[in-house]
Amino acid sequence: MSTDPNTTETPTEGDARSREALAARVDELEARLADVEADDEGQPKLSIVATKGTLDMAYPPLVLASTAAAFGYEVTVFHTFWGLDILHEERSKNLQLSSVGNPNLPVPNVVGALPGMDRVTTEMLRRRIEDNDTATVEELVETSLDMGVEFQACQMTIDLMGYDEDDFYDGVTTGVGAATAVRDMAEADVQLLV
């Protein structure tokens, strides 16, 4: 009801306008809430940066990427420096395991430093992978690509290592720069550096 003695509107006219304004405001807020909820219900996103290219370090980004994709995540893995070897079709088949500085290997550092020990420890791990029927690096790359994981190859590293874009598995995105990777990480719900 109006308290101004100079207005001529009846109490019901003012109430009706207030209700209309309130209803319009409620409609506006409900629409905005629906937009926010729609954004929240989108596909979750995982962004991984893979920097290591040894046999034991190829598994974490590949297993995490394929598992997240299986759970419905949109997954991007940016491979840079030695991590790029995981996506290199030939090099990924010959990834090595360093026997020096790895405290979990059953080889003391002094023995691990002997010539040829990296080949021995690599072969030990390859046999264990095969004996346990664990997927190979190549199988994990192919499976991840089939599941929609986007593997990105750092262009600066491609140039630095002298690789050719045709050296990578089919489906790998080449020519990706750090700015693209950072933007992808900023948009992700989860970011990991491996």
Side-chain angles (χ1 to χ4, degrees):
M1 177 148 101
S2 176
T3 57
D4 184 356
N6 297 327
T7 60
T8 58
E9 68 182 42
T10 64
T12 56
E13 288 175 347
D15 289 346
R17 270 191 281 226
S18 294
R19 279 192 292 265
E20 287 175 13
L22 183 59
R25 181 68 176 146
V26 167
D27 289 344
E28 175 191 341
L29 291 173
E30 284 178 343
R32 289 174 64 188
L33 179 60
D35 289 344
V36 169
E37 287 174 346
D39 287 344
D40 287 345
E41 292 173 9
Q43 187 177 20
K45 185 168 181 172
L46 170 65
S47 179
I48 301 172
V49 178
T51 62
K52 309 256 189 312
T54 58
L55 182 59
D56 57 326
M57 290 306 295
Y59 278 86
L62 295 174
V63 170
L64 290 168
S66 59
T67 302
F71 278 109
Y73 278 75
E74 177 185 339
V75 182
T76 304
V77 187
F78 179 72
H79 291 259
T80 188
F81 281 84
W82 303 119
L84 196 57
D85 285 350
I86 298 168
L87 301 180
H88 192 283
E89 207 161 356
E90 289 306 312
R91 289 183 154 292
S92 67
K93 296 173 185 162
N94 299 308
L95 298 177
Q96 300 294 307
L97 175 64
S98 177
S99 56
V100 176
N102 192 334
N104 292 322
L105 284 178
V107 178
N109 279 341
V110 69
V111 175
L114 294 173
M117 283 307 294
D118 285 352
R119 278 181 282 157
V120 171
T121 55
T122 298
E123 189 54 36
M124 285 171 47
L125 182 56
R126 285 192 193 282
R127 263 188 263 145
R128 184 169 280 183
I129 289 168
E130 188 176 322
D131 291 346
N132 286 318
D133 206 23
T134 302
T136 64
V137 169
E138 300 83 21
E139 290 169 337
L140 283 171
V141 169
E142 293 291 350
T143 298
S144 296
L145 285 167
D146 289 344
M147 295 175 79
V149 172
E150 181 181 1
F151 288 121
Q152 299 176 338
C154 174
Q155 186 61 48
M156 181 194 74
T157 307
I158 291 172
D159 296 339
L160 184 67
M161 302 299 182
Y163 294 158
D164 189 274
E165 292 184 5
D166 295 332
D167 293 337
F168 301 102
Y169 287 94
D170 290 339
V172 170
T173 305
T174 57
V176 178
T180 300
V182 169
R183 185 172 55 247
D184 182 74
M185 286 182 267
E187 294 170 357
D189 299 296
V190 179
Q191 306 88 10
L192 302 172
L193 173 65
V194 181

